[in-house]
Structure formats: C-alpha cells, structure tokens
Amino acid sequence: MTEKLTVSGAKDERYKQLVPQIKNLLDDKADIISDMANISAALKFAFKFFWVGFYRVKGKELCLGPFQGDIACTRIPYGKGVCGTAWAHRQTIIVPDVNRFPGHIACSSESQSEIVVPVFNKDEIIAVLDIDSNVLNDFDTTDAHYLEIICSLLTRS
Ligand code: SME
C-alpha cells in the first residue's frame, strides 16, 4: 500500500518535496499509463490545479490519456491548440491568459491559464502534460522547471 503524499509551503518548496515522492511511486516496469495516472493525481493533490492530465501521441494527433479534473476534449491535431503547439515546437509553453493564445482549445470556460510540457522518451515526444488553472497567470518558470523533471521520470529504458 502506498503512503499518502505530503506537501506544504510555497510552490518551489512543494515541488521539491513532491519530486522524490513521485519518483518513489513510479514503476517503470508498469504500463506508462499507470505512471501518468499517478503523476496526474499527485499534481492535482499537491497544487489543487483545475485540470491535470496527459495527452498521448497517436499518429498525427494527441489522444486524451490519464487525467484529473473535468471531462476534456478527446483528440488534438498536431500543431493545434496549446498542446499540439508544444508538441510541434518540442518545448514547454506557458500561457498566462488562454483567451490571448490564438487557437487555444477551450475544454472548459473556467480555464484561465495553462502550461504544457512535452514528454520525451529519448528524442521522441510520446505525450504532453497539460495543466490548466482557473486563475490567470498561474504558471511560471518554476513550474516549467519541475514539471520537466517530473515528465523526464516517465522515460523508459
Ligand atoms: N487547452 C488545451 C486543450 C486541452 S484542455 O485544456 C484539457 C489546448 O489548447 O491544447
């Protein structure tokens, strides 16, 4: 049985506490979907984000994977929306105000800001981590830094 996660303090402090706990609960012998599911739950628990989840690369589009939050759109084409753009540009994208991002795909009108982090397996992007906040300008380079570390924990040998 896994123990309950514990996090407290400011954002940077929370991520510092969370990363080793996530490392402990991941299992690289399990299906990667299992690890994505636990990462989504851990991030939702630690930060109470409005929506946390993964979209997985399937051919020329992203397909909804494990997530925590409201129901969401199922498929996102390559280069479309924030998720498809992060995939195409192969980099993390921080969107302070989703209403100002051309082509943003609104799964919920409550979403105000967003961060999307590509998940690399070696050189190949296999998924993106998408986090939505119901607060404007909720993400910064601290989030990008730690979320990239967390996504790198999904690498399979
Ligand atoms: N806003 C995303 C779509 C996914 S939902 O936010 C869960 C985008 O523009 O790609």
PDB file of all heavy atoms in Angstrom, residues 7 13 20 53 62 74 87 89 91-92 102 108 113 120 123 135 148 156:
ATOM      1  N   VAL A   7       2.801  17.431   1.203  1.00  0.00           N
ATOM      2  CA  VAL A   7       3.454  18.633   0.660  1.00  0.00           C
ATOM      3  C   VAL A   7       2.934  19.847   1.427  1.00  0.00           C
ATOM      4  O   VAL A   7       1.770  19.886   1.806  1.00  0.00           O
ATOM      5  CB  VAL A   7       3.175  18.853  -0.846  1.00  0.00           C
ATOM      6  CG1 VAL A   7       3.984  17.954  -1.717  1.00  0.00           C
ATOM      7  CG2 VAL A   7       1.709  18.731  -1.163  1.00  0.00           C
ATOM      8  N   GLU A  13       8.900  25.019  -2.757  1.00  0.00           N
ATOM      9  CA  GLU A  13       9.050  24.051  -1.676  1.00  0.00           C
ATOM     10  C   GLU A  13       8.179  22.814  -1.935  1.00  0.00           C
ATOM     11  O   GLU A  13       8.615  21.671  -1.741  1.00  0.00           O
ATOM     12  CB  GLU A  13       8.623  24.754  -0.369  1.00  0.00           C
ATOM     13  CG  GLU A  13       9.174  24.157   0.887  1.00  0.00           C
ATOM     14  CD  GLU A  13      10.646  23.782   0.797  1.00  0.00           C
ATOM     15  OE1 GLU A  13      11.485  24.610   0.369  1.00  0.00           O
ATOM     16  OE2 GLU A  13      10.929  22.629   1.127  1.00  0.00           O
ATOM     17  N   PRO A  20      10.686  13.804  -5.160  1.00  0.00           N
ATOM     18  CA  PRO A  20      11.136  12.487  -4.670  1.00  0.00           C
ATOM     19  C   PRO A  20       9.988  11.535  -4.349  1.00  0.00           C
ATOM     20  O   PRO A  20      10.126  10.319  -4.507  1.00  0.00           O
ATOM     21  CB  PRO A  20      11.938  12.814  -3.398  1.00  0.00           C
ATOM     22  CG  PRO A  20      11.646  14.241  -3.084  1.00  0.00           C
ATOM     23  CD  PRO A  20      11.162  14.907  -4.314  1.00  0.00           C
ATOM     24  N   GLY A  53      -3.499  16.579 -16.716  1.00  0.00           N
ATOM     25  CA  GLY A  53      -3.576  15.312 -17.429  1.00  0.00           C
ATOM     26  C   GLY A  53      -2.589  15.207 -18.572  1.00  0.00           C
ATOM     27  O   GLY A  53      -1.849  16.146 -18.882  1.00  0.00           O
ATOM     28  N   LEU A  62      -2.982  14.008 -30.805  1.00  0.00           N
ATOM     29  CA  LEU A  62      -2.861  13.679 -29.391  1.00  0.00           C
ATOM     30  C   LEU A  62      -4.188  13.119 -28.918  1.00  0.00           C
ATOM     31  O   LEU A  62      -5.241  13.656 -29.277  1.00  0.00           O
ATOM     32  CB  LEU A  62      -2.544  14.945 -28.581  1.00  0.00           C
ATOM     33  CG  LEU A  62      -1.201  15.630 -28.880  1.00  0.00           C
ATOM     34  CD1 LEU A  62      -1.172  17.035 -28.261  1.00  0.00           C
ATOM     35  CD2 LEU A  62      -0.052  14.791 -28.324  1.00  0.00           C
ATOM     36  N   THR A  74     -11.154  14.959 -26.588  1.00  0.00           N
ATOM     37  CA  THR A  74     -10.512  13.650 -26.727  1.00  0.00           C
ATOM     38  C   THR A  74      -9.282  13.669 -27.625  1.00  0.00           C
ATOM     39  O   THR A  74      -8.290  13.007 -27.335  1.00  0.00           O
ATOM     40  CB  THR A  74     -11.536  12.653 -27.313  1.00  0.00           C
ATOM     41  OG1 THR A  74     -12.754  12.819 -26.617  1.00  0.00           O
ATOM     42  CG2 THR A  74     -11.067  11.235 -27.164  1.00  0.00           C
ATOM     43  N   TRP A  87       3.808  20.223 -28.732  1.00  0.00           N
ATOM     44  CA  TRP A  87       4.294  19.008 -29.424  1.00  0.00           C
ATOM     45  C   TRP A  87       5.097  19.403 -30.671  1.00  0.00           C
ATOM     46  O   TRP A  87       6.237  18.954 -30.853  1.00  0.00           O
ATOM     47  CB  TRP A  87       3.079  18.151 -29.777  1.00  0.00           C
ATOM     48  CG  TRP A  87       3.363  16.888 -30.539  1.00  0.00           C
ATOM     49  CD1 TRP A  87       4.553  16.209 -30.626  1.00  0.00           C
ATOM     50  CD2 TRP A  87       2.410  16.147 -31.327  1.00  0.00           C
ATOM     51  NE1 TRP A  87       4.386  15.093 -31.417  1.00  0.00           N
ATOM     52  CE2 TRP A  87       3.101  15.027 -31.856  1.00  0.00           C
ATOM     53  CE3 TRP A  87       1.059  16.320 -31.619  1.00  0.00           C
ATOM     54  CZ2 TRP A  87       2.455  14.095 -32.682  1.00  0.00           C
ATOM     55  CZ3 TRP A  87       0.433  15.381 -32.431  1.00  0.00           C
ATOM     56  CH2 TRP A  87       1.118  14.283 -32.955  1.00  0.00           C
ATOM     57  N   HIS A  89       6.473  22.308 -31.484  1.00  0.00           N
ATOM     58  CA  HIS A  89       7.669  23.120 -31.200  1.00  0.00           C
ATOM     59  C   HIS A  89       8.654  22.398 -30.285  1.00  0.00           C
ATOM     60  O   HIS A  89       9.726  22.913 -30.008  1.00  0.00           O
ATOM     61  CB  HIS A  89       7.261  24.450 -30.567  1.00  0.00           C
ATOM     62  CG  HIS A  89       6.531  25.356 -31.512  1.00  0.00           C
ATOM     63  ND1 HIS A  89       6.261  26.682 -31.226  1.00  0.00           N
ATOM     64  CD2 HIS A  89       5.999  25.144 -32.729  1.00  0.00           C
ATOM     65  CE1 HIS A  89       5.605  27.236 -32.241  1.00  0.00           C
ATOM     66  NE2 HIS A  89       5.422  26.302 -33.166  1.00  0.00           N
ATOM     67  N   GLN A  91       8.705  22.017 -27.146  1.00  0.00           N
ATOM     68  CA  GLN A  91       9.105  22.754 -25.943  1.00  0.00           C
ATOM     69  C   GLN A  91       7.921  23.092 -25.060  1.00  0.00           C
ATOM     70  O   GLN A  91       6.773  23.091 -25.513  1.00  0.00           O
ATOM     71  CB  GLN A  91       9.852  24.028 -26.322  1.00  0.00           C
ATOM     72  CG  GLN A  91       9.003  25.011 -27.085  1.00  0.00           C
ATOM     73  CD  GLN A  91       9.821  26.216 -27.555  1.00  0.00           C
ATOM     74  OE1 GLN A  91      11.021  26.095 -27.809  1.00  0.00           O
ATOM     75  NE2 GLN A  91       9.176  27.355 -27.681  1.00  0.00           N
ATOM     76  N   THR A  92       8.237  23.374 -23.801  1.00  0.00           N
ATOM     77  CA  THR A  92       7.223  23.777 -22.829  1.00  0.00           C
ATOM     78  C   THR A  92       6.630  25.124 -23.230  1.00  0.00           C
ATOM     79  O   THR A  92       7.354  26.032 -23.641  1.00  0.00           O
ATOM     80  CB  THR A  92       7.879  23.885 -21.436  1.00  0.00           C
ATOM     81  OG1 THR A  92       8.372  22.601 -21.088  1.00  0.00           O
ATOM     82  CG2 THR A  92       6.877  24.356 -20.381  1.00  0.00           C
ATOM     83  N   PRO A 102      -3.775  32.409 -29.640  1.00  0.00           N
ATOM     84  CA  PRO A 102      -4.513  32.101 -30.864  1.00  0.00           C
ATOM     85  C   PRO A 102      -4.650  30.590 -31.059  1.00  0.00           C
ATOM     86  O   PRO A 102      -3.660  29.867 -30.974  1.00  0.00           O
ATOM     87  CB  PRO A 102      -3.636  32.706 -31.973  1.00  0.00           C
ATOM     88  CG  PRO A 102      -2.717  33.652 -31.276  1.00  0.00           C
ATOM     89  CD  PRO A 102      -2.531  33.129 -29.880  1.00  0.00           C
ATOM     90  N   SER A 108     -12.853  23.876 -21.090  1.00  0.00           N
ATOM     91  CA  SER A 108     -13.716  24.417 -20.043  1.00  0.00           C
ATOM     92  C   SER A 108     -13.585  25.935 -20.040  1.00  0.00           C
ATOM     93  O   SER A 108     -12.473  26.460 -20.167  1.00  0.00           O
ATOM     94  CB  SER A 108     -13.295  23.887 -18.677  1.00  0.00           C
ATOM     95  OG  SER A 108     -13.901  24.665 -17.657  1.00  0.00           O
ATOM     96  N   SER A 113      -5.440  30.007 -17.341  1.00  0.00           N
ATOM     97  CA  SER A 113      -4.039  29.942 -17.754  1.00  0.00           C
ATOM     98  C   SER A 113      -3.631  28.472 -17.852  1.00  0.00           C
ATOM     99  O   SER A 113      -4.328  27.588 -17.331  1.00  0.00           O
ATOM    100  CB  SER A 113      -3.130  30.718 -16.795  1.00  0.00           C
ATOM    101  OG  SER A 113      -3.251  30.251 -15.471  1.00  0.00           O
ATOM    102  N   PHE A 120       9.325  13.459 -23.309  1.00  0.00           N
ATOM    103  CA  PHE A 120      10.262  12.843 -24.257  1.00  0.00           C
ATOM    104  C   PHE A 120      10.600  11.428 -23.804  1.00  0.00           C
ATOM    105  O   PHE A 120      10.775  11.174 -22.611  1.00  0.00           O
ATOM    106  CB  PHE A 120      11.574  13.636 -24.309  1.00  0.00           C
ATOM    107  CG  PHE A 120      11.467  14.954 -25.025  1.00  0.00           C
ATOM    108  CD1 PHE A 120      11.122  16.112 -24.335  1.00  0.00           C
ATOM    109  CD2 PHE A 120      11.697  15.045 -26.387  1.00  0.00           C
ATOM    110  CE1 PHE A 120      11.025  17.328 -24.991  1.00  0.00           C
ATOM    111  CE2 PHE A 120      11.597  16.258 -27.057  1.00  0.00           C
ATOM    112  CZ  PHE A 120      11.261  17.406 -26.355  1.00  0.00           C
ATOM    113  N   ASP A 123      14.627  10.887 -27.842  1.00  0.00           N
ATOM    114  CA  ASP A 123      14.389  12.077 -28.679  1.00  0.00           C
ATOM    115  C   ASP A 123      12.941  12.242 -29.113  1.00  0.00           C
ATOM    116  O   ASP A 123      12.565  13.265 -29.665  1.00  0.00           O
ATOM    117  CB  ASP A 123      15.261  11.961 -29.941  1.00  0.00           C
ATOM    118  CG  ASP A 123      16.357  12.991 -29.921  1.00  0.00           C
ATOM    119  OD1 ASP A 123      16.524  13.636 -28.865  1.00  0.00           O
ATOM    120  OD2 ASP A 123      17.042  13.154 -30.942  1.00  0.00           O
ATOM    121  N   VAL A 135      -7.066  30.355 -12.531  1.00  0.00           N
ATOM    122  CA  VAL A 135      -6.518  31.661 -12.150  1.00  0.00           C
ATOM    123  C   VAL A 135      -5.622  32.146 -13.288  1.00  0.00           C
ATOM    124  O   VAL A 135      -4.850  31.359 -13.837  1.00  0.00           O
ATOM    125  CB  VAL A 135      -5.677  31.525 -10.849  1.00  0.00           C
ATOM    126  CG1 VAL A 135      -5.027  32.839 -10.479  1.00  0.00           C
ATOM    127  CG2 VAL A 135      -6.533  30.990  -9.723  1.00  0.00           C
ATOM    128  N   GLU A 148       9.129  19.672 -15.998  1.00  0.00           N
ATOM    129  CA  GLU A 148      10.006  18.987 -16.964  1.00  0.00           C
ATOM    130  C   GLU A 148      10.765  17.846 -16.272  1.00  0.00           C
ATOM    131  O   GLU A 148      10.938  16.767 -16.846  1.00  0.00           O
ATOM    132  CB  GLU A 148      10.976  19.995 -17.603  1.00  0.00           C
ATOM    133  CG  GLU A 148      10.269  20.871 -18.644  1.00  0.00           C
ATOM    134  CD  GLU A 148      11.108  22.030 -19.158  1.00  0.00           C
ATOM    135  OE1 GLU A 148      12.306  22.114 -18.821  1.00  0.00           O
ATOM    136  OE2 GLU A 148      10.543  22.864 -19.913  1.00  0.00           O
ATOM    137  N   ARG A 156      11.372   5.512 -20.416  1.00  0.00           N
ATOM    138  CA  ARG A 156      11.591   4.054 -20.300  1.00  0.00           C
ATOM    139  C   ARG A 156      12.921   3.707 -20.951  1.00  0.00           C
ATOM    140  O   ARG A 156      13.290   4.311 -21.943  1.00  0.00           O
ATOM    141  CB  ARG A 156      10.497   3.280 -21.055  1.00  0.00           C
ATOM    142  CG  ARG A 156       9.047   3.380 -20.508  1.00  0.00           C
ATOM    143  CD  ARG A 156       8.998   3.226 -19.035  1.00  0.00           C
ATOM    144  NE  ARG A 156       7.704   2.795 -18.507  1.00  0.00           N
ATOM    145  CZ  ARG A 156       7.035   3.439 -17.584  1.00  0.00           C
ATOM    146  NH1 ARG A 156       7.452   4.599 -17.116  1.00  0.00           N
ATOM    147  NH2 ARG A 156       5.911   2.949 -17.080  1.00  0.00           N
TER     148      ARG A 156
END
